Amino acid sequence: NPKHIDIFEPEYEKLCEDCAKEMAGPYVNDPMILGYCMSDLPSMTDIDAEMYNSTTWPRELRNKGGNAAGKKAWMQTIQKRYGSIAEFNQVYETSFSSWEALKLAENWRPSTTAKNEREDADNIAFLKTCVDRYYSVAEAELRKVDKNHLFFGDKLFAETDSLEIVIDITSKYTDLVCYHSYARWKDQEALLDRLVERIDLPFLNGD
């Protein structure tokens, strides 16, 4: 479980390397193993966070100090999305004097649901960057250890917005789409019909 650590730091690569060796190493040639899952219903979006009383990567990494790799990655996303710090201040109701001041600010934003549509869009944009980093490193380290089995990724939550938001990223690295839904088929059908038009992979309801 990533638990929203700074996945942009080099230590994350070492964590994935160690985890792959420990969890997959003993089963490389095991014919009874289909593949490997990561987290069970990780908190990705604001809706997930509210449901689980948790947080998200955008909420956590934007509050890091200026030297944190995750804060630098968040800054890159934000500066591409805003023409000036004044425009950013207007959306976030802040008063930073410069981009550098924002970069150095720690714990400047409460870990709460986005206050407006632009903040929500910023969170989603940066979340996709986070998920790409999270999955690309995890998949690469697993493949170094075990090329014989499938990579399922996380069991993603289909009953919030999580699955639909991150599936374009996660499916670049997984052999199938592993998701969670307790809903009856008639309540899943519309969502899955939309997703199978975008994603050319098998879908597995893990529950």
Side-chain angles (χ1 to χ4, degrees), residues 10 13 22 39 41 45 53 59-60 62 89 96 99 122 128 131 168 174 190 200:
E13 297 171 16
E22 177 185 355
S39 298
L41 309 184
T45 66
N53 192 27
R59 294 186 193 183
E60 287 295 297
R62 69 186 179 183
N89 283 333
F96 292 106
W99 289 122
D122 293 341
K128 292 181 178 181
V131 172
D168 293 295
T174 60
D200 187 23

Side-chain angles (χ1 to χ4, degrees), residues 159 180-184 188 205 207:
E159 294 178 10
H180 160 93
S181 178
Y182 283 144
R184 293 180 180 275
Q188 298 184 47
N205 188 337
D207 289 299

Side-chain angles (χ1 to χ4, degrees), residues 69-179:
K71 181 64 170 285
K72 293 175 183 176
W74 179 80
M75 288 294 302
Q76 288 178 353
T77 296
I78 289 299
Q79 287 183 267
K80 289 178 182 177
R81 296 174 64 82
Y82 289 87
S84 66
I85 191 66
E87 182 185 2
F88 176 88
N89 283 333
Q90 184 177 22
V91 171
Y92 282 78
E93 301 177 354
T94 51
S95 56
F96 292 106
S97 59
S98 65
W99 289 122
E100 184 66 15
L102 174 59
K103 187 180 99 169
L104 296 175
E106 295 184 48
N107 300 316
W108 63 275
R109 192 74 167 173
S111 181
T112 56
T113 301
K115 291 184 177 180
N116 54 61
E117 289 183 2
R118 286 196 68 180
E119 183 180 355
D120 183 53
D122 293 341
N123 286 346
I124 290 172
F126 185 56
L127 173 65
K128 292 181 178 181
T129 298
C130 293
V131 172
D132 192 87
R133 166 71 176 174
Y134 167 46
Y135 267 71
S136 62
V137 174
E139 190 261 353
E141 294 301 331
L142 175 63
R143 299 299 191 200
K144 288 178 185 177
V145 175
D146 187 348
K147 295 182 174 65
N148 295 332
H149 297 102
L150 301 176
F151 179 47
F152 295 172
D154 296 301
K155 185 165 64 176
L156 298 166
F157 205 2
E159 294 178 10
T160 67
D161 58 347
S162 193
L163 174 64
E164 191 158 17
I165 285 175
V166 304
I167 191 173
D168 293 295
I169 307 298
T170 62
S171 62
K172 295 192 299 183
Y173 302 102
T174 60
D175 295 300
L176 52 76
V177 176
C178 184
Y179 75 98

